[in-house]
């Protein structure tokens, strides 16, 4: 089964859990108090990225014309990102998640945010933008495809624009846990059995994780014209990641 099909299943059954894999966000809908927590986490993530961008830009924040949130899900990041750009586009592979994002869109931002269905060729990606952001998304995309996506996101970035992209690169977990994850990935009956034991719907898809080669990712940044980056390291449940932020200041090297 493709990861695209898996994510649409998450979008239909548990769109919020599909974005933040915390059991309290399970279900088609969540309470107002949980929604406040969910969207506040997006505010914090964007605030951290903005702080890093300002540090790279002599303490000031550029006036962004158009921002792109790749893998926007239900708009956790898109809404706070739109506070820093005149126009913002959220892209996601799941129509169900995009529908939830549109329903949750504040009225004050409806003219500034558009949500588009993504695909393998990123045909809905704007031709130009000066800010592109993606957090805890690429980790769910097989690396061969992920590298192509990163390259495209960076290639379309305007000169002097900023990119903030997160990837996972290592997994710190006991050997038994790693073995169990590998077994679930390759033997469906094992995954379905564990779903039943945990009280989940048996056919709930596996939330797959993929580890990227940081050398390869940084090479894509450099080849796109981003010669200096700032990196913030992350740890989500034992998966080590890196939020890589850089400004395109040179011509494409390809």
């Amino acid at each position: 089964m493709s990861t695209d099909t898996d994510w649409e299943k998450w979008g239909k059954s548990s769109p919020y859990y599909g974005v933040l894999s915390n059991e309290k966000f399970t279900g088609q809908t969540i309470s107002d108090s949980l929604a406040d927590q969910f969207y506040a986490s997006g505010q914090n993530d964007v605030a951290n990225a903005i702080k890093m961008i300002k540090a790279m830009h002599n303490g000031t924040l550029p006036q962004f014309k158009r921002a792109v949130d790749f893998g926007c899900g239900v708009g956790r990041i898109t809404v706070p990102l739109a506070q820093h750009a005149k126009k913002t586009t959220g892209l996601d592979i799941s129509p169900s998640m995009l529908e939830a994002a549109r329903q949750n869109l504040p009225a004050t931002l409806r003219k500034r945010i558009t949500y588009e269905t993504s695909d393998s060729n990123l045909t809905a990606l704007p031709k130009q933008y000066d800010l592109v952001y993606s957090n805890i998304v690429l980790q769910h995309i097989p690396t061969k495809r992920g590298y192509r996506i990163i390259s495209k996101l960076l290639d379309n970035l305007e000169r002097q624009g900023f990119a903030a992209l997160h990837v996972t690169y290592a997994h710190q977990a006991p050997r038994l846990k790693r073995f169990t994850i590998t077994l679930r990935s390759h033997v469906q009956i094992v995954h379905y059995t564990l779903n039943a034991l945990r009280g989940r719907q048996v056919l709930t898809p596996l939330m797959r994780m993929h580890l990227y080669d940081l050398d390869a990712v940084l090479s894509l940044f450099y080849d796109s014209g981003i010669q200096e980056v700032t990196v913030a390291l992350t740890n989500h449940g034992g998966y080590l990641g890196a939020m890589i932020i850089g400004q395109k200041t040179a011509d494409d090297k390809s």
Side-chain angles (χ1 to χ4, degrees):
M1 182 179 293
S2 73
T3 55
D4 294 354
T5 303
D6 286 350
W7 284 104
E8 176 56 6
K9 284 192 172 185
W10 283 114
K12 288 182 176 180
S13 62
S14 286
Y16 300 91
Y17 180 86
V19 175
L20 286 182
S21 53
N22 187 312
E23 293 295 335
K24 65 183 179 182
F25 297 128
T26 302
Q28 290 181 322
T29 60
I30 56 177
S31 67
D32 289 344
S33 61
L34 285 177
D36 289 342
Q37 294 178 37
F38 180 88
Y39 285 102
S41 71
Q43 290 276 5
N44 290 336
D45 287 347
V46 171
N48 289 334
I50 291 299
K51 182 179 179 179
M52 293 170 68
I53 289 173
K54 289 174 69 174
M56 298 182 70
H57 198 253
N58 298 318
T60 62
L61 186 65
Q63 297 296 311
F64 295 115
K65 299 186 295 294
R66 179 176 290 278
V68 169
D69 177 17
F70 176 75
C72 65
V74 296
R76 185 183 75 97
I77 293 295
T78 321
V79 171
L81 198 66
Q83 297 171 6
H84 303 285
K86 292 181 179 179
K87 297 287 185 180
T88 300
T89 300
L91 298 176
D92 202 274
I93 203 71
S94 167
S96 295
M97 286 196 179
L98 289 173
E99 180 58 30
R102 294 185 183 104
Q103 291 175 0
N104 294 328
L105 183 58
T108 56
L109 293 175
R110 286 176 184 165
K111 293 183 178 180
R112 294 171 53 190
I113 293 178
T114 56
Y115 289 111
E116 302 287 349
T117 304
S118 189
D119 58 25
S120 296
N121 296 318
L122 298 183
T123 52
L125 185 68
K127 292 183 178 180
Q128 286 190 318
Y129 40 84
D130 50 358
L131 176 61
V132 58
Y133 184 103
S134 184
N135 189 22
I136 57 173
V137 172
L138 290 161
Q139 63 192 26
H140 298 304
I141 299 175
T143 55
K144 184 177 180 180
R145 181 181 179 188
Y147 292 135
R148 291 197 302 269
I149 290 172
I150 292 171
S151 180
K152 180 70 172 178
L153 292 175
L154 296 177
D155 285 348
N156 280 27
L157 182 66
E158 293 181 9
R159 189 164 181 173
Q160 303 305 322
F162 278 85
L165 306 180
H166 177 271
V167 295
T168 45
Y169 63 88
H171 187 201
Q172 287 186 338
R175 185 175 300 176
L176 178 59
K177 183 175 181 180
R178 293 201 302 269
F179 174 75
T180 302
I181 292 171
T182 301
L183 194 61
R184 290 178 69 184
S185 299
H186 293 87
V187 184
Q188 276 193 336
I189 189 62
V190 173
H191 172 62
Y192 293 152
T193 300
L194 288 174
N195 278 344
L197 291 173
R198 294 176 179 179
R200 294 179 179 173
Q201 293 184 3
V202 172
L203 298 182
T204 299
L206 178 65
M207 191 170 288
R208 302 174 187 275
M209 297 289 288
H210 302 276
L211 306 181
Y212 286 71
D213 181 338
L214 282 182
D215 286 347
V217 174
L218 291 173
S219 291
L220 292 174
F221 270 72
Y222 182 80
D223 289 344
S224 76
I226 299 176
Q227 298 180 342
E228 295 185 12
V229 298
T230 298
V231 178
L233 301 179
T234 62
N235 186 336
H236 295 126
Y239 283 94
L240 304 184
M243 171 58 80
I244 306 171
I245 296 181
Q247 183 180 21
K248 181 181 283 191
T249 57
D251 293 329
D252 193 310
K253 303 296 181 182
S254 59

